[in-house]
Amino acid sequence: MQTPHQTPEAQRSVADAPPDNWVDRYAPEAWRPWLRLSRADRPIGTWLLLLPCWWGVGLAMIADRPTWRDLWIVIACALGAILMRGAGCTWNDITDRDIDARVSRTRSRPIPSGQVSVWGAVAWLVAQSLAGLVILLTLGKAAILLGVASLALVAIYPFAKRFTWWPQVFLGLAFNWGVLLAWAAHMGGIGLAPVIAYLAGIAWTVFYDTIYAHQDAEDDALIGVKSTARLFGTDSRRWLLRFGAGAVVCLVLAVLAARPHGAALWLALAGVVGFAGHLAWQLKRFDMNDSAGCLRLFRANRDAGLVVALFLALAGLV
């Protein structure tokens, strides 16, 4: 009898990973299960965690002034996003291992497929978290405190779908915390602009993760997992419009709260306009019954958030 580590399922890539992902093509074979556990083969989650951090840096540069330290904050946020997204995904897969084994899209993940043991995953979680802590310690007291506080949100999120129809809100609370942390790394404290941008990010997360959750709506219904995709059902397009509009309005208010002047104001608002246009494009193409299409739209949100980050950076530099 073959052990789980010897089965064909344990050797192949995860079902929803891009077919040409770098892990399956270039990473040493022994590393692949661990990198898959961290979702390194699916980098969109790292982008969605990182981009609000870069929003925070851009807003801080607009409100204050750019410094050379901002370059390190940008790099540290990128490294931290890779590590902490990996740690968060590892924690999520540990807690969801029984559910993942019952869902067609997720049963090929490293733990349910037998590529990684639960205790091995715990050790990997600790290693990633400690590496993330080393980076966090370079960002100043306010950012350190915020980083430690974020752990409560990360710990709670995997359980949200068991007790609420709004797990996407809990994901938004965790995934957009970086806008507060990055602002604090520059400014030494919290301000109104990043708080409003945080609300924008939460609304955006509900938007894109509802689209993502429609891939699993049928399986979720069978096993009793809750989501906004199931809650909204056939009315999802209208709800997506509401949350998308809320994200846009909050971003406009966040920009204004940072008090840009002249060209900086128009550059920052241009980024929000580009973001709004991208969400409208997604809404036009959204089909809740097209799982592959939902995944493509979900991944496209990297570009939506990147438009905001780039224009905020330009606004902060003028």
Side-chain angles (χ1 to χ4, degrees):
M1 180 182 295
Q2 290 180 315
T3 66
H5 294 276
Q6 297 170 323
T7 63
E9 183 175 19
Q11 299 303 320
R12 66 171 182 252
S13 62
V14 177
D16 59 353
D20 58 347
N21 73 83
W22 74 272
V23 171
D24 293 336
R25 294 182 65 184
Y26 304 117
E29 187 172 350
W31 295 9
R32 291 175 190 173
W34 308 99
L35 293 171
R36 290 169 184 156
L37 189 59
S38 296
R39 308 281 205 279
D41 54 346
R42 285 155 288 167
I44 179 59
T46 301
W47 278 109
L48 295 175
L49 182 62
L50 170 60
L51 290 169
C53 300
W54 285 355
W55 294 2
V57 179
L59 287 169
M61 291 194 302
I62 292 170
D64 184 24
R65 57 184 176 81
T67 68
W68 283 109
R69 177 170 165 75
D70 292 322
L71 181 59
W72 168 244
I73 296 174
V74 167
I75 295 171
C77 285
L79 296 173
I82 293 169
L83 289 165
M84 296 316 296
R85 190 258 181 152
C89 289
T90 303
W91 170 242
N92 186 79
D93 281 11
I94 291 170
T95 60
D96 279 0
R97 59 190 183 275
D98 294 330
I99 292 175
D100 286 347
R102 298 160 64 188
V103 176
S104 59
R105 185 179 59 82
T106 58
R107 64 170 57 106
S108 58
R109 287 179 177 176
I111 296 177
S113 68
Q115 298 176 63
V116 175
S117 70
V118 174
W119 283 112
V122 171
W124 184 234
L125 167 64
V126 172
Q128 292 172 100
S129 300
L130 290 176
L133 176 62
V134 171
I135 294 172
L136 179 64
L137 292 176
T138 70
L139 297 180
K141 182 178 179 180
I144 292 170
L145 292 174
L146 284 166
V148 173
S150 72
L151 295 178
L153 296 171
V154 174
I156 292 170
Y157 165 66
F159 302 100
K161 57 182 168 287
R162 295 165 169 84
F163 63 80
T164 177
W165 287 100
W166 296 88
Q168 280 67 29
V169 172
F170 283 83
L171 180 65
L173 290 168
F175 253 53
N176 295 281
W177 195 257
V179 71
L180 304 174
L181 191 153
W183 170 284
H186 175 109
M187 303 290 280
I190 294 298
L192 180 61
V195 171
I196 301 174
Y198 181 52
L199 297 177
I202 294 170
W204 179 40
T205 302
V206 175
F207 178 94
Y208 65 65
D209 205 57
T210 298
I211 294 175
Y212 182 80
H214 269 291
Q215 298 176 91
D216 300 328
E218 292 185 6
D219 284 337
D220 288 348
L222 290 174
I223 61 179
V225 170
K226 298 178 174 67
S227 72
T228 49
R230 289 187 61 206
L231 178 65
F232 301 161
T234 56
D235 205 26
S236 286
R237 187 183 300 276
R238 185 178 302 177
W239 279 98
L240 291 176
L241 175 60
R242 292 168 180 167
F243 279 101
V248 171
V249 169
C250 286
L251 277 177
V252 170
L253 294 176
V255 166
L256 296 178
R259 299 183 182 278
H261 300 286
L265 172 62
W266 295 111
L267 281 169
L269 291 178
V272 180
V273 170
F275 176 81
H278 200 289
L279 298 194
W281 172 83
Q282 292 182 58
L283 270 175
K284 184 176 180 181
R285 285 158 179 76
F286 171 67
D287 178 357
M288 61 178 285
N289 297 311
D290 179 7
S291 294
C294 286
L295 182 58
R296 285 194 298 271
L297 290 178
F298 167 73
R299 289 173 176 163
N301 278 279
R302 180 202 64 176
D303 299 336
L306 194 57
V307 167
V308 177
L310 290 174
F311 276 86
L312 288 179
L314 288 173
L317 291 171
V318 298

